[in-house]
C-alpha cells in the first residue's frame, strides 16, 4: 500500500504543478479544491499510518486481514485513476457552466462543495 499511496501523492503533486502553470480562469476555480483534497489525503495517510514504519504502518496492521487490504488498495487505485484523468484533461476544461453533462455534474458538485463549506460550524 505504501507504493500505491506514494504514487497517489506524486500524482497530486504533479497535477497541482500542472494546474499552477498557464492556468485559465476556469482552472483557477479548481486549484483550491485540488489543494484541499491533497491536504485531506495527507491527513488520512498520516492518521492511518500509510507511510509509517514498523508496527505503526498500515501494511503491518492489516497484514493478516486481506479484506481491508484489498479495499484500501482498490481505493488508492481509484484515486490514482482519477488523478491521472485530471492530469489528462488539464487545459480542456472550458467554462464550467457550458460543459456537456459531465461538466454540469462537475459544476453542481463544485457548488455543493462551496455551499457545504459555508455552512460548516
Amino acid at each position: 500500500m505504501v507504493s500505491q499511496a506514494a504514487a497517489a501523492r506524486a500524482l497530486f503533486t504533479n497535477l497541482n504543478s500542472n494546474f499552477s502553470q498557464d492556468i485559465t480562469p476556469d482552472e483557477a476555480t479548481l486549484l483550491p479544491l485540488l489543494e484541499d483534497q491533497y491536504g485531506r489525503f495527507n491527513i488520512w495517510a498520516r492518521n492511518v499510518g500509510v507511510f509509517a514504519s514498523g508496527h505503526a504502518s498500515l501494511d503491518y496492521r492489516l497484514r493478516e486481514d486481506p479484506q481491508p487490504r484489498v479495499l484500501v488498495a482498490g481505493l488508492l487505485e481509484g484515486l490514482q485513476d482519477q488523478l491521472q484523468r485530471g492530469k489528462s484533461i488539464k487545459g480542456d476544461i472550458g467554462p464550467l457552466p457550458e460543459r456537456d453533462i459531465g461538466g454540469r455534474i462537475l459544476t453542481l458538485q463544485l457548488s455543493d462543495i462551496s455551499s457545504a463549506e459555508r455552512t460548516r460550524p
Side-chain angles (χ1 to χ4, degrees), residues 5 17 26 31 37-38 42 57 61 69 79 83 85 92 116:
S17 174
D26 295 311
L31 190 57
Q37 292 307 313
Y38 183 45
N42 282 322
S57 74
R61 290 182 286 138
R69 283 183 69 84
L79 176 61
L83 290 168
R85 185 172 173 260
D92 188 33

Side-chain angles (χ1 to χ4, degrees), residues 8-83:
R9 180 183 273 177
L11 284 168
F12 263 119
T13 302
N14 189 286
L15 187 59
N16 191 20
S17 174
N18 285 349
F19 268 95
S20 298
Q21 299 171 2
D22 300 323
I23 195 165
T24 68
D26 295 311
E27 291 169 344
T29 63
L30 298 177
L31 190 57
L33 296 172
L34 176 64
E35 291 170 347
D36 184 49
Q37 292 307 313
Y38 183 45
R40 290 174 190 227
F41 171 79
N42 282 322
I43 291 169
W44 170 81
R46 191 173 35 253
N47 285 343
V48 299
V50 170
F51 299 112
S53 60
H55 294 282
S57 74
L58 185 62
D59 279 324
Y60 181 83
R61 290 182 286 138
L62 298 179
R63 71 190 180 284
E64 294 178 9
D65 199 352
Q67 199 168 20
R69 283 183 69 84
V70 169
L71 176 67
V72 172
L75 291 171
L76 287 169
E77 185 177 316
L79 176 61
Q80 289 175 44
D81 290 345
Q82 292 302 311
L83 290 168

